[in-house]
Amino acid sequence: MLILGAAEVHQVLDDAEAEAVEAVRRAYLLHDEGRTTLPHSVFLRFPEDPRNRIIGLPAYLGEDEPVAGIKWIASFPGNTARGLERASAAVILNSMVTGQPEALLEGSVISARRTAASAALAAATLGSSVPDTGVSLVGCGVIGFEILACLRAVLPDLAAVTVFDLDDARAEAFAARCQERWPDLKTEVALSVEEALSAHRLVCLATTASAPHLTTDACRRGTLVLHVSLRDLTPGSILTAVNVVDDADHVCRESTSLHLAEQLCGNRDFIATSLGSVLRSGKPFRRAEDRVTVFSPFGLGILDLALADLVRRRAEPLGLGTRAPDFLPAAAG
């Protein structure tokens, strides 16, 4: 068993945003081609504690050298008040020959990077007639910062960011961090969520909201909303938008905004296409100029496997990680 901790995962993935986006792109293509297996995620919830959850995402990715495994990720929003990260996770990769677990990786870094890479890939793929030169980030946490880093890697014209968070101090600290990392990036803090939504035609929602609380009324026409947290937008806003998803069956579950929209209208006709389908078509996608386009990614386990496999393959020749040769029982007889 190879064990890779957070520092080692960071060592491989830091400043590798373009490689992460490419790994996610390949995973989406394989999924659209039917070369993946993706059971529904398992949500472990707690009767007396509805805000917290632990999710299991098993998956199989049919690369030339196939990958199978699972991500086990906990989301405990109260951790931020304890000085801890909201999410913690582990990824296990299994041998496709014996089925035995052969790698254990710290998963929160991988999870954040694959989420960011997915959002950035959507921003680069679901293009506008006018290049996106700015982005509004609603939610100033780890995911938001990772998304901005990936957007900078794939959108060469991106020159400005407007941030908003319900916690003013958090937003100010986030903006300061952005300025330190990217001195050339014009960074502003919005005084209201409506100001943030209207500031640019590229908007990212990455909050911990558990129920819809926003409309797209303040967005400019032609805006692309990266609806990463999945529960921010009202069903009405979803139904009036051009909707792109990663997987319709996965995203219309667990009381996401799209799930609520499906319950409201009784079908999924409001979903226009999937990102994998757009990528496989090879044809440029142009956002509607008279409507808002919303990308809602459920966050597929195949993306975690794609990045975990990337980390494992790059870590081994670098001598990273700890080997646990006696992790499994000794061979019989």
Side-chain angles (χ1 to χ4, degrees):
M1 171 73 81
L2 174 66
I3 302 172
L4 292 160
E8 293 156 324
V9 174
H10 267 296
Q11 188 173 335
V12 173
L13 289 181
D14 283 355
D15 299 318
E17 287 85 6
E19 291 87 343
V21 171
E22 174 57 23
V24 164
R25 187 188 71 84
R26 290 198 311 272
Y28 276 138
L29 285 170
L30 289 169
H31 187 54
D32 195 71
E33 293 165 4
R35 295 173 59 188
T36 65
T37 302
L38 199 63
H40 284 304
S41 303
V42 177
F43 283 72
L44 178 62
R45 300 185 186 275
F46 312 102
E48 306 299 327
D49 192 6
R51 193 180 183 202
N52 297 327
R53 64 192 182 193
I54 307 177
I55 311 172
L57 291 85
Y60 164 79
L61 187 61
E63 293 266 23
D64 293 338
E65 296 184 27
V67 187
I70 187 169
K71 179 179 73 173
W72 183 242
I73 181 165
S75 175
F76 279 54
N79 278 352
T80 55
R82 302 183 182 97
L84 300 172
E85 297 293 349
R86 173 189 61 84
S88 58
V91 177
I92 296 176
L93 299 179
N94 293 77
S95 167
M96 289 301 300
V97 176
T98 66
Q100 293 179 328
E102 55 185 15
L104 172 65
L105 300 88
E106 194 285 327
S108 67
V109 177
I110 289 169
S111 187
R113 294 291 168 91
R114 67 84 149 135
T115 301
S118 170
L121 178 65
T125 304
L126 307 177
S128 169
S129 59
V130 180
D132 290 307
T133 59
V135 60
S136 295
L137 300 177
V138 177
C140 295
V142 172
I143 298 296
F145 195 82
E146 295 288 354
I147 288 172
L148 183 55
C150 283
L151 287 173
R152 291 277 291 179
V154 301
L155 298 179
D157 295 313
L158 198 71
V161 60
T162 300
V163 304
F164 175 78
D165 196 280
L166 292 175
D167 185 330
D168 293 341
R170 187 178 175 89
E172 292 289 348
F174 187 94
R177 188 180 174 199
C178 291
Q179 282 284 266
E180 182 180 1
R181 172 79 178 270
W182 301 289
D184 62 321
L185 186 66
K186 181 182 178 183
T187 305
E188 297 180 331
V189 178
L191 298 179
S192 67
V193 68
E194 291 79 14
E195 180 184 343
L197 293 176
S198 63
H200 306 286
R201 295 213 314 170
L202 179 60
V203 173
C204 178
L205 306 178
T207 77
T208 58
S210 58
H213 60 108
L214 287 177
T215 72
T216 55
D217 293 350
C219 294
R220 305 182 197 178
R221 291 186 177 184
T223 291
L224 171 62
V225 178
L226 304 172
H227 188 207
V228 174
S229 36
L230 287 180
R231 295 171 179 84
D232 287 291
L233 295 178
T234 62
S237 292
I238 293 295
L239 292 175
T240 59
V242 177
N243 290 283
V244 182
V245 301
D246 54 2
D247 184 292
D249 194 40
H250 283 260
V251 81
C252 290
R253 298 179 70 240
E254 296 295 332
S255 297
T256 65
S257 296
L258 283 83
H259 187 196
L260 299 178
E262 179 188 24
Q263 292 175 332
L264 191 64
C265 67
N267 58 61
R268 297 177 182 175
D269 294 346
F270 58 88
I271 297 177
T273 188
S274 70
L275 185 58
S277 179
V278 173
L279 290 168
R280 191 162 64 90
S281 75
K283 300 176 182 178
F285 181 101
R286 285 291 173 261
R287 307 198 301 252
E289 292 298 326
D290 60 342
R291 297 170 68 186
V292 171
T293 299
V294 176
F295 174 60
S296 298
F298 190 74
L300 306 179
I302 55 172
L303 308 186
D304 298 288
L305 293 193
L307 259 64
D309 191 47
L310 173 67
V311 170
R312 174 178 59 172
R313 292 179 184 280
R314 291 195 170 186
E316 288 181 312
L318 294 173
L320 299 177
T322 301
R323 289 283 179 183
D326 56 352
F327 181 83
L328 296 171

